[in-house]
Amino acid sequence: MKPQLPAPLEKELDHVCRFFRKHYPGVRLYLVGGAVRDMVMGREIYDLDIECFGIDPESFDAAMHRLGAKGVGKSFFVYKYGHLDIALPRIERKVGKGHRGFAVELAKDTKEASRRRDFTMNALMLDLRSGEIVDHWGGLNDIQKRLIRVVDSEKFMEDSLRVLRAMQFSARLKFRIEAASRDLMCRMDLGDLTPERIFWEFEKMFNAPWLHYGLFAMIDLKISEKILGLEIGRRAFFTMARHMQKARRLEDTAMRPYYFLFVLSTDLHRSALKLCEAIHTPNVYKKILTWQKRVPHRITDRFLGALSLRFPLRQWLGIYADDVKERAVRLGIYDRQFDPGIRPADLLEEGYSSRALGKELRRRILEAVRHRFGAVS
């Protein structure tokens, strides 16, 4: 199988393959990890990971310098060449706390090297010489079944971040989690995760197309309890899942990262700010989510009109609610804010000042909203 790649990636990969064929003909190159999974699934590929078998570390370092690749990392060098990460196959053993507490050594064969991967779909390897896919763990079958399954239980439990990876992969790929893998992940403690690592995985889910799959995984793997402090029942799940599916179809993609937490805080009547703090979001999340209005039980035209004083309603995270988009378009406030035509300068000319000016300005703006949008929808 030959990977279908964007032109820049294909050019870089071709150069690396020709370089090794010419200068190190005994080395075998394998494409590994998510790129092979995405190639099998027909998904777009943005970067590549290559492992080099049949070369010792000293010769590998010399080869990378000769290629012009840049070394990254400290314990077991990975080299970067354009959009390619090139490394030696390795085994990782847990020897200390945290995600840095691993001892690394050279792997002897492809099965040993692929055992360190988290899920079978990510343990596939593509032999760049023969074009054959190496599948030691049944990853191809799991991809066909749209299944997330752990490669090696013992290795998997060495890094608790992998539980959050299962959640975001479920949302990105529309995959379900295999039962035994689910039971394993539910038993794992997540208390050792750093704030940065927690947010990185949640952020990937926030930008995924299948948010309700991520929501189910978050609940089912007990991430919602362990990290967010939330116990979410069956009825609440179905309500939120429906809202997340509707939000997925909306046009303003710039607001996509914020829908998951907005739906969660709105439907569960929880503080959006506290949810942000629980997963350590950047301040932009807190700013946007606290500026937004929750979806009320009854959405009147007047409510929509008042909200459009702040921003066009296409930027309201509650725009997914039943028929709100259609009403906003009809009212002329979907793509633009409502201008009540009230200016502070006019009130100054009328003699208002200080606190009285602010009070009268607010009264007239609200009167303009009532006049334009009425009392009820």
Side-chain angles (χ1 to χ4, degrees), residues 5 50 68 71 111 120 149 198 218 234 238 251 268:
L5 302 173
I50 296 172
K111 186 170 186 178
T120 60
R149 184 162 60 89
I198 290 172
M218 185 186 76
R234 181 181 177 87
F238 281 113
E251 299 170 4
L268 296 177

Side-chain angles (χ1 to χ4, degrees), residues 127-163:
D127 187 330
L128 289 172
R129 182 184 298 175
S130 68
E132 295 179 359
I133 289 183
V134 179
D135 180 14
H136 293 295
W137 311 102
L140 289 173
N141 187 52
D142 287 339
I143 288 174
Q144 188 175 20
K145 293 180 177 179
R146 307 192 74 85
L147 199 65
I148 296 173
R149 184 162 60 89
V150 168
V151 170
D152 181 281
S153 298
E154 186 177 342
K155 291 289 184 186
F156 188 90
M157 293 182 72
E158 291 179 343
D159 188 357
S160 55
L161 186 73
R162 292 174 163 185
V163 180

Side-chain angles (χ1 to χ4, degrees), residues 16-251:
V16 169
C17 289
R18 285 189 285 105
F19 170 83
F20 275 95
R21 281 198 302 269
K22 179 179 180 181
H23 300 290
Y24 303 89
V27 175
R28 293 191 73 94
L29 304 181
Y30 289 84
L31 197 62
V32 300
V36 186
R37 176 202 68 223
D38 290 343
M39 179 188 67
V40 170
M41 295 181 66
R43 289 164 52 86
E44 191 168 357
I45 298 171
Y46 300 97
D47 47 42
L48 301 174
D49 292 319
I50 296 172
E51 287 183 351
C52 304
F53 288 77
I55 185 171
D56 62 79
E58 292 76 16
S59 299
F60 175 70
D61 287 347
M64 291 297 96
H65 286 297
R66 187 174 186 177
L67 176 66
K70 181 180 179 182
V72 294
K74 294 181 179 180
S75 61
F76 201 80
F77 266 145
V78 175
Y79 284 84
K80 187 169 284 293
Y81 180 78
H83 297 86
L84 279 59
D85 283 356
I86 309 172
L88 293 175
R90 59 191 186 272
I91 302 170
E92 297 173 345
R93 292 183 295 104
K94 188 76 169 177
V95 294
K97 293 183 178 180
H99 66 286
R100 299 184 186 278
F102 286 88
V104 183
E105 59 188 79
L106 198 66
K108 297 180 177 64
D109 55 48
T110 56
K111 186 170 186 178
E112 192 176 48
S114 62
R115 187 184 295 275
R116 72 182 181 88
R117 300 287 172 181
D118 49 9
F119 306 113
T120 60
M121 62 183 182
N122 296 332
L124 299 172
M125 307 175 73
L126 176 69
D127 187 330
L128 289 172
R129 182 184 298 175
S130 68
E132 295 179 359
I133 289 183
V134 179
D135 180 14
H136 293 295
W137 311 102
L140 289 173
N141 187 52
D142 287 339
I143 288 174
Q144 188 175 20
K145 293 180 177 179
R146 307 192 74 85
L147 199 65
I148 296 173
R149 184 162 60 89
V150 168
V151 170
D152 181 281
S153 298
E154 186 177 342
K155 291 289 184 186
F156 188 90
M157 293 182 72
E158 291 179 343
D159 188 357
S160 55
L161 186 73
R162 292 174 163 185
V163 180
L164 272 64
R165 280 171 60 79
M167 172 188 71
Q168 55 96 347
F169 275 131
S170 186
R172 287 167 55 195
L173 303 177
K174 201 180 179 184
F175 277 25
R176 60 187 176 87
I177 299 167
E178 182 259 346
S181 300
R182 179 259 182 200
D183 292 342
L184 173 70
M185 287 185 261
C186 285
R187 297 195 301 270
M188 292 174 63
D189 179 23
L190 305 180
D192 63 332
L193 294 176
T194 62
E196 294 81 7
R197 298 187 94 206
I198 290 172
F199 177 69
W200 287 339
E201 301 306 321
F202 270 95
E203 183 180 37
K204 291 171 187 174
M205 180 174 67
F206 294 160
N207 286 285
W210 308 100
L211 285 178
H212 58 299
Y213 269 68
L215 174 65
F216 180 82
M218 185 186 76
I219 299 168
D220 196 42
L221 298 176
K222 302 187 184 304
I223 297 169
S224 53
E225 295 179 26
K226 296 175 181 178
I227 292 181
L228 294 172
L230 297 175
E231 292 189 16
I232 302 173
R234 181 181 177 87
R235 179 179 294 181
F237 163 73
F238 281 113
T239 298
M240 290 187 289
R242 185 172 66 253
H243 291 160
M244 288 179 183
Q245 284 179 282
K246 288 182 177 180
R248 174 176 172 267
R249 299 192 293 266
L250 299 175
E251 299 170 4

